[in-house]
């Protein structure tokens, strides 16, 4: 299923999930300081991304630099995919 068609209720049905409310989803983690590279990049791109005010501009000027910073700080242990459609087919997982 493409992400654009994702709904929580469909995921619950397809993957036979149980929703548990009240428990923390993420563990407590310590803060990570942004590098000067990220600060400088955002200082340059943030005004443009806000002025253009499109989802694409926000992605290119804000989100992507932050994701790349996370990738750098985790020494490449994560990947960043831009413009890729992820199709999930739950029947292949069962």
């Amino acid at each position: 299923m493409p992400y654009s068609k994702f709904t929580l209720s469909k995921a619950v049905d397809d993957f036979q999930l149980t929703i548990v409310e009240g428990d923390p989803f993420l563990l407590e983690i310590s803060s990570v300081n942004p590098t000067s590279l990220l600060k400088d990049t955002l200082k340059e791109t943030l005004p443009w991304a806000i002025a253009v005010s499109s989802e694409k501009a926000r992605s290119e000027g804000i989100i992507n630099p932050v994701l790349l910073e996370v990738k750098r700080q985790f020494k490449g242990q994560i990947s960043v995919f831009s413009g890729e459609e992820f199709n999930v087919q739950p029947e292949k997982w069962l």
Side-chain angles (χ1 to χ4, degrees):
M1 144 183 38
Y3 182 76
S4 61
K5 299 208 189 291
F6 172 85
T7 65
L8 180 57
S9 60
K10 179 150 179 53
V12 167
D13 291 342
D14 289 351
F15 296 104
Q16 300 167 355
L17 301 173
T18 302
I19 297 176
V20 178
E21 295 186 30
D23 291 336
F25 178 69
L26 299 173
L27 300 175
E28 290 288 325
I29 58 171
S30 57
S31 298
V32 176
N33 293 322
T35 62
S36 58
L37 175 60
L38 177 61
K39 290 178 186 177
D40 291 344
T41 300
L42 290 176
K43 194 180 294 184
E44 184 176 334
T45 61
L46 191 59
W48 167 79
I50 292 170
V52 174
S53 188
S54 73
E55 185 175 341
K56 183 75 171 157
R58 288 189 300 272
S59 174
E60 291 174 352
I62 303 168
I63 305 301
N64 198 49
V66 170
L67 291 175
L68 291 174
E69 172 77 4
V70 171
K71 183 176 180 176
R72 275 192 294 275
Q73 290 204 16
F74 279 89
K75 298 181 180 16
Q77 294 177 354
I78 66 163
S79 293
V80 177
F81 299 95
S82 178
E84 297 292 327
E85 185 173 303
F86 289 98
N87 290 312
V88 177
Q89 299 174 343
E91 62 274 2
K92 291 184 179 182
W93 293 13
L94 301 176

